[in-house]
């Protein structure tokens, strides 16, 4: 038995996690996965009930779970709540509380959606890459100074720092990810300027000695940003630090054409958390029109990385590809000539193709 904690959250969170759980139940029947679900609150919904965005009970349940499926949190309703109690704080609390040190963001452009990308079809057809971003270190977690006077001027600073064990941990995960994919890893840094990047590059090169089957290359972050636009097909797995990963993963996400389709995994020491990259979309919440595919693909990642159920993960991905190839489109990716469907029908179409 594997226990999955489901945190629907706010806005479209309930609709999209309901959909993903239905798909998980369908693959469970086919592959005998023996999955169990336990529901918990986080975000604005938790604030309304308990006065905090991440109740202890939710965090403790996540720690004991084999994996966590997360919808999204936030919304205008909580705009005036104190900063430390805002719904989005739940995400930081989960990252910290569960030690989620790596964020994996795959970008796979399915043939039937090539036209949705802002890039030319010949550049995006066949793109299939994963960005592995370090999530709990670097400049976002370094010392900082909001304001000080030096030489008569006000200034502020943020400190970037990485230790060898931090870089080793994320690099090993990236190599392991590359090993089960096409065996190519690109490490991204700014080693021509930054000391932390030079340590990063040295450490990655050393870890590579233990992964002989994987081809490693290094790119400066400015070049990588450019290469993602001019030749995204060259990439298999990209590994990088927190700041560069934040920026590059959003750049890479738009290549796919719709944020409604993009999944993610945050890998931790205790457990791992899976969620779509989009937010709670309050503008369309409750209308039954949200695209559930990003959440369903996150559930496929959950099966792949936490439960090592590769066949079941592939079955979900293939069912989504087939649903799109058969011309079904939710409103966010709809154009003339296709069959417009809502969240519920999208779920049914996917389940029927598993
Ligand atoms: P958003 O991602 O929620 O929405 C941006 C746009 O994309 C909206 O027009 C929305 O309707 C559309 N969209 C998003 N997901 C969609 C889907 N599955 N199907 C169809 N359309 C979809 O970003 P936002 O509007 O900037 O933020 C809304 C709230 O979500 C804010 O409170 C923000 O803080 C929060 N947020 C939460 C997370 C998270 O929970 N991980 C991430 C980002 C933003």
């Amino acid at each position: 038995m594997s226990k999955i904690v489901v945190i629907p959250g706010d806005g479209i969170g309930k609709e999209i996690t309901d959909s993903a759980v239905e798909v998980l139940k369908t693959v469970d029947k086919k592959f005998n996965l023996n999955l169990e679900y336990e529901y918990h609150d986080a975000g604005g919904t938790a604030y309304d009930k308990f006065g905090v965005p991440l109740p202890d009970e939710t965090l403790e349940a996540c720690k004991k779970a084999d994996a966590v499926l997360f919808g999204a949190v936030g919304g205008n309703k909580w705009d005036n709540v104190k900063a430390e109690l805002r719904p989005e704080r739940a995400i930081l609390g989960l990252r910290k509380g569960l030690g989620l040190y790596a964020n994996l963001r795959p970008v796979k452009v399915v043939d039937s959606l090539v036209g949705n990308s802002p890039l030319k079809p010949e550049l995006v057809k066949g793109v299939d890459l994963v960005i592995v971003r370090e999530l709990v270190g670097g400049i976002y977690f370094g010392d900082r100074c909001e304001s000080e006077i030096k030489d008569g001027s006000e200034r502020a600073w943020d400190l970037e720092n990485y230790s060898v064990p931090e870089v080793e941990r994320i690099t090993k995960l990236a190599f392991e990810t590359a090993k089960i994919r096409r065996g190519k890893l690109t490490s991204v840094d700014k080693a021509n300027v930054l000391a932390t990047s030079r340590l990063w590059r040295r450490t990655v090169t050393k870890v590579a000695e233990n992964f002989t089957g994987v081809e490693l290359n290094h790119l400066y972050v400015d070049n990588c940003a450019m290469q993602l636009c001019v030749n995204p097909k060259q990439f298999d797995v990209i590994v990088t630090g927190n700041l560069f990963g934040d920026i590059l993963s959003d750049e890479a996400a738009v290549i796919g054409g719709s944020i409604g389709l993009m999944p993610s995994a945050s890998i931790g020491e205790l457990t791992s958390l899976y969620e779509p990259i989009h937010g709670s979309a309050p503008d369309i919440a409750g209308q039954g029109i949200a695209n559930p595919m990003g959440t369903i693909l996150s559930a496929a990642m959950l099966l792949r990385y936490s439960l090592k159920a590769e066949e079941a993960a592939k079955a979900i991905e293939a069912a989504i590809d087939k649903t799109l190839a058969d011309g079904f489109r939710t409103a966010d990716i709809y154009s003339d000539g296709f069959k417009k469907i809502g969240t519920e029908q999208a779920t049914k179409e996917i389940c029927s193709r598993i």
Side-chain angles (χ1 to χ4, degrees), residues 8-10 39-53 55 57-58 77-78:
D10 310 317
Y39 283 77
H40 287 274
D41 292 306
T45 316
Y47 174 80
D48 289 347
K49 279 194 202 166
F50 308 106
V52 288
E57 183 216 10
T58 299
K77 184 180 170 195
W78 301 282

Side-chain angles (χ1 to χ4, degrees), residues 12 72-75 88 91 259 275 278-284 290-291 332:
I12 59 170
V73 291
E88 293 81 356
I91 301 168
I259 59 168
E275 60 174 327
H278 58 74
S280 59
D283 53 333
I284 57 164
N291 186 345
D332 55 317

Side-chain angles (χ1 to χ4, degrees), residues 107-110 123-129 182 232-233 255:
V107 178
K108 188 172 176 201
V109 181
V110 292
L123 292 182
V124 290
K125 193 163 188 290
V127 164
D128 182 3
L129 61 89
R182 299 195 304 282
K233 269 185 267 192
I255 295 172

